[in-house]
Amino acid sequence: MGVTDPAGPVMDRDEVDRALARLGQEHEAIETSLLALQDHAGRRLLEGAELTGVTEERWTAAEEAITVLWACFDAYTAALRRAREIRSRRRWSSREDLVELTGLLRGEAVALAGPALPAGSGRLSESYTLTALVDRMNELYASSLDVVVAADAVWSALPARIDLLAAELHRTRGLAHSVGVRPGEHPAGDDLEGITATLTALRARVISDPLAYWTPAQGSSAPGGGRPDTTVYDREARALEDVRREIDAVLTVRQDAEERLIRLRDVLSRADRTLAEARTARGEVLAKIAATEVPVVSGPPTVLQEQLATAADHRRHARWHRLSPLLDSLERRAEDELLRARESLTAVTAPLAVRAELRGRLDAYRAKVARHGLAEDPLLIERYDAARRMLWSAPCDLRVAEQAVLRYQHAAAELLTAPKVPEHGPTDAREDEG
């Protein structure tokens, strides 16, 4: 839509012809825009829909604006037709014709009455210049088109996406029921019900009140500037994705439940065997090692075995939604139990490990002194025998045995580091005498 020239002095023939040419082009552009608005798919949808809320209010106002817009256009068309008729009277317009044309083209020559007047004006009629009339039509057109384009954009974007998400929701619900995820029995089942209710309400409101889901573009005055508000849809889509992952986890449990139960039994069995080994080792330590505090070995926790039996029962009765979290918990606790059993065995057998280390150290030093030809040294023999008796007797006092090994080490170290005295034979003695 365009804007005409302002009012001025009496126009000459050339000015009138140029103005009429511009007005003709402008009229054609306005008519094209109005017809496009009339045939817009969004407008047809708005006219046929049962609207509510903000859309009902704005469309009511937009319908009134469109009615006024056509009335303004009809008045504009009539003024243009009248001007053309005056100009076509004669080839060379008279002074009177030019004055009348100037009044039509530049003066307040277009009178509007009734519903075509601005709301709240309080007048029965009002006169406009063609320029002011075009400005008013531009305003009415922009506000009406904004409603139509925004509603059409929301209807084009959201219902189809909601329907696709609802179809995915239907498939997910069927899958959930197949693995026992139902409302009231599993949180994911409750979530599915909530998503279903929200999507149903969302679609109904989008259809009846699309403008409630329209976000205008900041700083834009163009009709239809903005985008559909998909906040609620996006939130429910994320919630459905979370539920779908939960269902996938349950399906995975159904596929490998037996294998996981077998692994659990094996881990718990190893933990039991390790604890039994620790109890046996504790008795051996108490019998063989003296003056040592040996930690008590606790028995296997019966609660894990009870929960394992419960898990097997869930599998037999296809209660996959209950089996999934139970297996996750059991696997963590079973590994913890095996680790505890191994730590108990390590703690119980620590004195035996100390004794073995002392034995190995004693034998290593004996081999070392033997390589240096000192194995027959009386002091070393005495201290070796003393340390060996302590380490190979039961019960063994580790503190006393360690001191005996240290005494043997020190004696061996002194002999190994002492300077050697050369031994001279008979030949060497005669050479010295000579």
Side-chain angles (χ1 to χ4, degrees):
M1 290 186 175
V3 179
T4 61
D5 294 331
V10 176
M11 303 169 66
D12 60 27
R13 284 184 294 272
D14 291 337
E15 288 177 323
V16 168
D17 290 342
R18 287 195 297 270
L20 287 175
R22 288 196 305 272
L23 289 171
Q25 294 174 353
E26 191 171 61
H27 178 273
E28 184 178 349
I30 293 173
E31 184 178 31
T32 300
S33 298
L34 290 178
L35 291 175
L37 177 61
Q38 191 73 18
D39 293 336
H40 198 289
R43 175 188 171 130
R44 292 197 298 270
L45 289 172
L46 284 165
E47 288 178 336
E50 296 182 5
L51 302 176
T52 61
V54 64
T55 306
E56 182 182 19
E57 296 175 5
R58 291 190 61 187
W59 176 238
T60 299
E63 281 188 306
E64 295 174 357
I66 292 172
T67 300
V68 173
L69 182 56
W70 278 105
C72 292
F73 179 70
D74 290 342
Y76 180 87
T77 303
L80 178 60
R81 184 184 305 114
R82 174 63 180 159
R84 284 172 172 170
E85 289 174 354
I86 295 172
R87 178 67 183 88
S88 64
R89 287 175 185 173
R90 53 185 63 86
R91 182 176 180 182
W92 303 102
S93 298
S94 65
R95 171 75 179 176
E96 292 77 9
D97 289 344
L98 292 175
V99 170
E100 187 176 0
L101 284 169
T102 300
L104 277 173
L105 299 178
R106 290 183 174 175
E108 294 182 349
V110 182
L112 297 179
L117 293 175
S121 65
R123 299 180 183 180
L124 297 178
S125 65
E126 189 168 349
S127 297
Y128 289 86
T129 65
L130 288 177
T131 299
L133 186 61
V134 169
D135 289 341
R136 182 148 189 245
M137 283 192 289
N138 280 332
E139 294 174 0
L140 294 170
Y141 176 80
S143 63
S144 303
L145 183 63
D146 185 66
V147 173
V148 171
V149 171
D152 185 55
V154 173
W155 277 332
S156 299
L158 271 175
R161 295 172 68 180
I162 293 171
D163 290 342
L164 289 174
L165 190 62
E168 180 63 27
L169 175 64
H170 179 73
R171 288 191 294 271
T172 303
R173 189 189 299 110
L175 194 59
H177 285 185
S178 72
V179 294
V181 176
R182 297 181 176 85
E185 298 181 10
H186 192 280
D190 298 332
D191 292 341
L192 285 174
E193 288 300 299
I195 295 170
T196 301
T198 301
L199 285 183
T200 301
L202 176 63
R203 193 183 194 286
R205 192 180 178 196
V206 165
I207 295 300
S208 68
D209 191 9
L211 296 185
Y213 298 93
W214 178 254
T215 303
Q218 295 295 328
S220 173
S221 58
R227 61 177 180 81
D229 182 3
T230 60
T231 303
V232 177
Y233 169 86
D234 294 338
R235 184 189 66 211
E236 298 307 306
R238 289 192 299 270
L240 180 59
E241 181 61 28
D242 292 340
V243 172
R244 195 157 45 225
R245 283 196 293 267
E246 183 79 16
I247 302 304
D248 289 341
V250 174
L251 285 171
T252 302
V253 170
R254 183 173 68 176
Q255 293 169 357
D256 60 9
E258 180 60 26
E259 182 180 349
R260 292 175 70 181
L261 285 171
I262 291 174
R263 285 200 303 267
L264 271 172
R265 294 189 185 98
D266 178 63
V267 171
L268 291 177
S269 176
R270 280 188 285 154
D272 290 346
R273 291 196 302 270
T274 303
L275 287 176
E277 184 180 351
R279 286 191 293 272
T280 301
R282 185 173 187 272
E284 181 181 353
V285 169
L286 291 174
K288 294 182 177 181
I289 307 297
T292 299
E293 293 183 3
V294 184
V296 176
V297 179
S298 61
T302 59
V303 65
L304 291 183
Q305 293 295 339
E306 293 172 357
Q307 290 182 351
L308 185 60
T310 301
D313 186 64
H314 286 336
R315 179 185 176 278
R316 282 193 299 273
H317 294 88
R319 293 190 289 263
W320 310 113
H321 61 291
R322 295 183 181 179
L323 179 59
S324 177
L326 181 56
L327 281 178
D328 291 340
S329 173
L330 272 174
E331 285 170 343
R332 290 192 300 270
R333 296 177 64 186
E335 290 295 336
D336 291 343
E337 178 61 20
L338 179 58
L339 178 61
R340 185 185 71 85
R342 288 170 174 169
E343 289 174 346
S344 294
L345 179 60
T346 300
V348 165
T349 56
L352 295 178
V354 172
R355 188 185 66 174
E357 190 274 332
L358 290 174
R359 286 178 174 179
R361 197 194 314 172
L362 180 65
D363 288 341
Y365 265 89
R366 188 187 183 201
K368 185 175 182 179
V369 297
R371 287 197 302 272
H372 288 79
L374 300 174
E376 301 302 324
D377 184 88
L379 180 60
L380 290 181
I381 293 174
E382 176 188 350
R383 292 190 177 181
Y384 173 81
D385 290 340
R388 193 177 191 287
R389 281 194 303 271
M390 292 178 188
L391 288 172
W392 267 267
S393 62
C396 172
D397 190 326
L398 291 177
R399 287 184 291 271
V400 176
E402 184 177 13
Q403 293 300 319
V405 172
L406 288 174
R407 285 195 298 272
Y408 179 75
Q409 286 182 233
H410 294 157
E414 290 175 0
L415 287 176
L416 290 172
T417 58
K420 295 184 179 180
V421 179
E423 297 180 0
H424 301 288
T427 304
D428 298 329
R430 286 195 296 274
E431 291 176 355
D432 291 342
E433 291 174 358

